[in-house]
């Protein structure tokens, strides 16, 4: 209860203080104080900035700057009509009062009367289609047409400027950038603005154009990433399934049916120009050719091979098999091999230590012209005929070993001879 009592007392004291202040303010209020006739006991003292109310003004010391004109402001969405000194709406249109609310770029002032130009990114212009004339505080059209005058400097910008889309101010020479003519820029067919071209446009021949995209003319900087040049246009080209670029297909790809494809290699389908080097078309695919045992390529066999029996072989030379066209010049076929005319035909039997086959098997047998030989485990070996002496340090193989001959002691002579054991 003590706390409640104290609170009531405090409210009473504050109320009394408030009423005394009101009385003092009313007594000291300047001429023009507004009062509500129906509530004379609670006077409404002077205010500014609302619709129909007096324009708010900077302190007197900040009002005497001719280049800025009247330094005034109203509430959001309103502008000060200098002729009536009232805040009005609408504002910002040609011939209307300039919008000067807190949301605009109109000059503002601090509590101590210093002027400043707001620069927040979301501030609105004082005039929608032009600029604010400083002395009359009314909007006029400027900076919106190609060839028209630029808007003069104001609270938004210290230099002349254009406010229309894709316009830039071409400053007058020697005018300190405070006047000039608007020139169209940045749009299709125009020179670029200082910041470049509109979205989707790029420079072609120095002007903003649609370029660089698929099936478009190239920009001055070329085609967009992933595209190449094909017949003078930017195209998706050169990769598998795409048309060729002007410089051909990418990597090892080649043309097949007019588009880039994997073709022409061993085991692959032929390209439009046929099979690649080292292959030829056989049964619908490119097959290796030209080397030993392979069919000849369209240009023949790899040097020095020639065709023999329908495939590439080393042939035609002395001691070699004949080519399909015969032996080389000066040689004739003798014993199945190319040889000089009149030479003995090459032997068809195997000599000592050379490879052989058994006598009962078709193939190369051991020669018997230089002494008896026997084919032992695939190689010719010297042997002793039946009944002959097996000499010490000589061969101990009997020529009739297949019949059972071995080297055995002969009691009559005391020698070892090839004979059938007892």
């Amino acid at each position: 209860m003590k706390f409640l009592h104290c609170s009531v007392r405090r409210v009473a004291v504050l109320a009394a203080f408030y009423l005394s202040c009101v009385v003092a303010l009313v007594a000291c209020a300047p001429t023009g104080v507004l009062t509500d006739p129906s509530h004379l006991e609670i006077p409404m003292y002077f205010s500014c900035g609302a619709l129909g109310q007096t324009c708010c003004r900077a302190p007197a010391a900040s009002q005497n700057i001719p280049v800025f004109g009247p330094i005034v402001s109203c509430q959001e969405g309103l502008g000060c009509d200098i002729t009536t000194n009232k805040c009005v709406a609408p504002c910002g249109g040609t011939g209307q009062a300039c919008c000067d609310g807190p949301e605009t770029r109109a000059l503002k002032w601090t509590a101590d009367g210093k002027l400043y130009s707001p620069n927040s990114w979301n501030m609105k212009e004082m005039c929608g289609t032009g600029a604010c004339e400083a002395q009359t505080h009314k909007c006029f059209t400027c900076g919106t047409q190609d060839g028209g005058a630029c808007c003069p400097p104001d609270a938004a910008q210290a230099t002349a400027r254009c406010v229309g889309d894709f316009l830039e101010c071409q400053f007058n020479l020697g005018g300190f950038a405070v006047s000039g003519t608007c020139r169209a820029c940045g749009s299709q067919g125009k020179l670029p603005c200082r910041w470049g071209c509109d979205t989707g446009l790029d420079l072609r021949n120095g002007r903003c154009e649609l370029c660089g995209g698929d099936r478009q003319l190239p920009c001055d900087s070329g085609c967009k990433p992933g595209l190449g040049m094909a017949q003078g246009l930017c195209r998706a080209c050169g990769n598998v399934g795409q048309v060729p670029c002007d410089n051909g297909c990418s990597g090892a790809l080649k043309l097949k049916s007019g588009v880039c494809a994997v073709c022409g290699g061993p085991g692959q389908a032929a390209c439009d120009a046929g099979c690649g080097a080292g292959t030829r078309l056989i049964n619908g695919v490119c097959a290796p050719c030209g080397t030993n045992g392979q069919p000849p390529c369209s240009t023949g066999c790899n040097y020095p091979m020639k065709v023999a029996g329908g495939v590439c072989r080393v042939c035609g030379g002395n001691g070699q098999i004949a080519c399909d066209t015969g032996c080389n010049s000066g040689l004739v076929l003798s014993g199945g091999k190319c040889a000089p005319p009149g030479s003995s035909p090459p032997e068809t039997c195997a000599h000592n230590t050379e490879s052989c086959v058994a006598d009962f098997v078709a193939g190369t047998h051991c020669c018997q012209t230089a002494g008896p030989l026997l084919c032992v485990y695939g190689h010719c070996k010297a042997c002793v005929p039946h009944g002959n002496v097996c000499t010490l340090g000589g061969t101990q193989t009997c020529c009739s070993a297949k019949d059972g001959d071995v080297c055995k002691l002969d009691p009559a002579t005391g020698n070892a001879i090839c004979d059938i054991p007892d």
Side-chain angles (χ1 to χ4, degrees):
M1 295 298 293
K2 181 177 180 181
F3 175 77
L4 179 61
H5 177 68
C6 291
S7 297
V8 171
R9 286 188 59 195
R10 180 173 295 177
V11 170
V13 170
L14 290 174
F17 175 75
Y18 172 78
L19 290 175
S20 65
C21 290
V22 169
V23 172
L25 287 171
V26 171
C28 298
T31 304
V33 170
L34 301 179
T35 60
D36 186 345
S38 62
H39 298 85
L40 293 178
E41 71 278 13
I42 305 178
M44 182 182 296
Y45 36 92
F46 187 84
S47 61
C48 65
L51 182 63
Q53 290 184 342
T54 303
C55 305
C56 299
R57 291 179 175 268
S62 300
Q63 286 284 333
N64 300 321
I65 305 176
V67 68
F68 293 145
I71 309 301
V72 293
S73 70
C74 295
Q75 293 180 5
E76 184 173 350
L78 305 177
C80 179
D81 184 342
I82 297 301
T83 59
T84 62
N85 196 33
K86 300 291 184 181
C87 291
V88 298
C91 63
T94 301
Q96 296 176 347
C98 305
C99 296
D100 47 34
E103 81 282 11
T104 68
R105 297 186 184 277
L107 287 175
K108 307 291 192 293
W109 60 87
T110 61
D112 58 358
K114 293 179 180 178
L115 299 181
Y116 69 94
S117 179
N119 59 1
S120 298
W121 64 270
N122 58 347
M123 303 296 287
K124 295 182 179 179
E125 300 294 339
M126 299 173 67
C127 298
T129 59
C132 182
E133 203 284 317
Q135 298 303 319
T136 64
H137 201 66
K138 290 186 180 295
C139 294
F140 67 97
T141 300
C142 62
T144 60
Q145 292 183 341
D146 182 22
C150 305
C151 294
D154 59 10
Q157 185 169 313
T159 62
R161 72 188 193 283
C162 301
V163 297
D165 292 336
F166 307 114
L167 293 174
E168 270 187 349
C169 186
Q170 184 179 41
F171 300 128
N172 292 331
L173 296 177
F176 302 101
V178 295
S179 62
T181 302
C182 290
R183 299 300 183 194
C185 64
S187 57
Q188 188 169 1
K190 302 296 183 182
L191 294 172
C193 300
R194 296 184 184 93
W195 46 261
C197 297
D198 190 15
T199 302
L201 303 181
D202 207 335
L203 288 181
R204 176 171 171 76
N205 297 328
R207 294 184 176 270
C208 296
E209 297 286 357
L210 283 168
C211 61
D214 191 26
R215 300 178 187 274
Q216 294 177 348
L217 292 171
C219 302
D220 291 345
S221 57
C223 298
K224 293 181 179 178
L227 302 179
M229 287 290 295
Q231 297 180 348
L233 298 178
C234 294
R235 294 287 303 273
C237 62
N239 294 318
V240 174
Q242 296 177 345
V243 297
C245 299
D246 289 344
N247 59 356
C249 297
S250 300
L253 301 179
K254 296 181 177 63
L255 283 181
K256 179 174 175 56
S257 301
V259 297
C260 296
V262 178
C263 62
Q268 298 172 351
C271 304
D272 291 348
C275 294
T279 62
R280 60 176 284 188
L281 189 63
I282 300 176
N283 296 326
V285 296
C286 296
C289 64
T291 62
N292 190 38
Q294 295 177 349
C297 299
S298 59
T299 55
C301 297
N302 295 344
Y303 183 83
M305 289 181 287
K306 298 178 182 178
V307 180
V311 296
C312 294
R313 297 289 187 191
V314 176
C315 62
N318 189 19
Q320 298 174 350
I321 62 173
C323 303
D324 287 354
T325 57
C327 295
N328 293 347
S329 178
L331 301 178
V332 296
L333 188 62
S334 177
K337 300 289 182 68
C338 294
S343 61
S344 300
E347 293 181 338
T348 59
C349 57
H351 295 280
N352 191 23
T353 71
E354 293 180 348
S355 298
C356 61
V357 296
D359 292 342
F360 57 86
V361 178
T364 303
H365 302 136
C366 295
C367 298
Q368 304 299 324
T369 56
L373 297 174
L374 180 66
C375 190
V376 180
Y377 298 116
H379 288 84
C380 293
K381 186 175 182 179
C383 64
V384 178
H386 178 75
N388 286 12
V389 176
C390 300
T391 60
L392 185 65
T395 179
Q396 302 298 306
T397 301
C398 296
C399 295
S400 299
K402 63 181 179 61
D403 298 324
D405 277 5
V406 295
C407 289
K408 57 174 281 190
L409 179 64
D410 180 11
T413 63
N415 295 322
I417 62 173
C418 281
D419 198 359
I420 298 175
D422 293 337

